[in-house]
């Protein structure tokens, strides 16, 4: 009975538009998820919040978006989310237990919240490989999650291509 419980892991993979997250998912499928196991793979995509512009943005010109433009931006955001999730699901076609989630908000916070809410046993994420300066300005989602979730976090770094550029 203990063996059965051990095989029922909930593995969450955070996916986005980048190659790094799809590489992390592929790595996870080859190394963590097994075809005949009872594991559940959770694919999570977080739609970033829309930029908010103020009438006091320093240029003296405020930005006013009509409801039509706002709806168009939301449709596009949903199309991107659907495309990313579909691409990720295609990689997982050999697995039985695959769940998908699309959430809204700051990816750092939402990923951490969803790990806890969905009871993930492990979180798998890709690394964009930003250098020190970019990471200082942009922040590292994977680093934030590694510091703030209670389950193990596996950060998969995509190998640099060794193409023969001349």
């Amino acid at each position: 009975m203990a063996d059965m419980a051990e095989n029922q892991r909930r593995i969450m993979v955070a996916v986005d538009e980048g190659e790094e997250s799809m590489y992390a998912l592929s790595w996870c499928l080859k190394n963590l998820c097994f075809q005949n196991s009872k594991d559940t793979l959770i694919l999570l995509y977080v739609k970033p919040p829309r930029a908010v512009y103020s009438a006091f943005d320093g240029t003296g010109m405020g930005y006013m978006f009509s409801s039509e433009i706002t709806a168009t931006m939301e449709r596009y955001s949903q199309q991107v989310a659907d495309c990313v999730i579909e691409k990720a699901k295609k990689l997982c076609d050999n697995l039985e237990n695959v769940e998908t989630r699309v959430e809204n908000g700051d990816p750092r916070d939402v990923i951490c919240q969803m790990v806890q809410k969905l009871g993930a046993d492990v979180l798998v994420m890709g690394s964009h490989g930003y250098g020190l300066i970019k990471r200082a300005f942009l922040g590292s989602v994977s680093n934030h999650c590694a510091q703030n979730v209670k389950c193990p976090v596996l950060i998969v770094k995509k190998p640099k291509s060794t193409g023969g550029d001349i």
Side-chain angles (χ1 to χ4, degrees), residues 47 50 69-79 104:
K47 293 193 296 187
R50 280 196 313 247
I69 291 173
T70 303
T72 300
M73 291 186 326
E74 181 56 36
R75 273 194 311 275
Y76 176 74
S77 177
Q78 188 60 48
Q79 288 171 346
N104 296 299

Side-chain angles (χ1 to χ4, degrees), residues 34-39 95-96:
F34 302 104
Q35 208 169 7
N36 297 322
S37 75
K38 301 289 186 200
D39 291 345
L95 294 179
E96 290 181 29

Side-chain angles (χ1 to χ4, degrees), residues 43-103:
L43 303 172
L44 173 65
Y45 177 83
V46 181
K47 293 193 296 187
R50 280 196 313 247
V52 177
Y53 297 99
S54 165
F56 305 105
D57 63 1
T59 65
M61 301 171 59
Y63 296 98
M64 299 285 286
F65 292 124
S66 70
S67 59
E68 183 178 316
I69 291 173
T70 303
T72 300
M73 291 186 326
E74 181 56 36
R75 273 194 311 275
Y76 176 74
S77 177
Q78 188 60 48
Q79 288 171 346
V80 170
D82 293 343
C83 185
V84 169
I85 289 293
E86 272 309 305
K87 184 176 179 180
K89 279 172 44 178
K90 283 180 184 176
L91 291 174
C92 304
D93 63 358
N94 293 333
L95 294 179
E96 290 181 29
N97 302 322
V98 178
E99 297 176 8
T100 60
R101 296 291 296 239
V102 175
E103 300 292 333

Side-chain angles (χ1 to χ4, degrees), residues 8-63:
Q8 296 179 350
R9 300 174 299 171
R10 294 181 59 76
I11 301 169
M12 179 179 288
V13 181
V15 294
D16 63 17
E17 301 86 0
E19 293 176 26
E20 296 84 2
S21 73
M22 290 302 155
Y23 179 81
L25 174 58
S26 295
W27 191 94
C28 176
L29 293 169
K30 290 176 190 163
N31 297 283
L32 286 181
C33 298
F34 302 104
Q35 208 169 7
N36 297 322
S37 75
K38 301 289 186 200
D39 291 345
T40 299
L41 184 67
I42 304 164
L43 303 172
L44 173 65
Y45 177 83
V46 181
K47 293 193 296 187
R50 280 196 313 247
V52 177
Y53 297 99
S54 165
F56 305 105
D57 63 1
T59 65
M61 301 171 59
Y63 296 98

Side-chain angles (χ1 to χ4, degrees), residues 80-154:
V80 170
D82 293 343
C83 185
V84 169
I85 289 293
E86 272 309 305
K87 184 176 179 180
K89 279 172 44 178
K90 283 180 184 176
L91 291 174
C92 304
D93 63 358
N94 293 333
L95 294 179
E96 290 181 29
N97 302 322
V98 178
E99 297 176 8
T100 60
R101 296 291 296 239
V102 175
E103 300 292 333
N104 296 299
D106 183 331
R108 291 177 249 272
D109 299 328
V110 174
I111 293 169
C112 292
Q113 291 165 0
M114 295 309 292
V115 163
Q116 184 175 354
K117 181 178 178 180
L118 300 176
D121 295 305
V122 65
L123 171 62
V124 178
M125 306 180 75
S127 171
H128 288 280
Y130 295 141
L132 183 62
I133 294 176
K134 273 191 180 178
R135 196 169 48 242
F137 286 107
L138 299 175
S140 168
V141 175
S142 57
N143 186 51
H144 178 85
C145 293
Q147 298 296 320
N148 291 287
V149 299
K150 292 182 171 89
C151 69
V153 177
L154 177 61

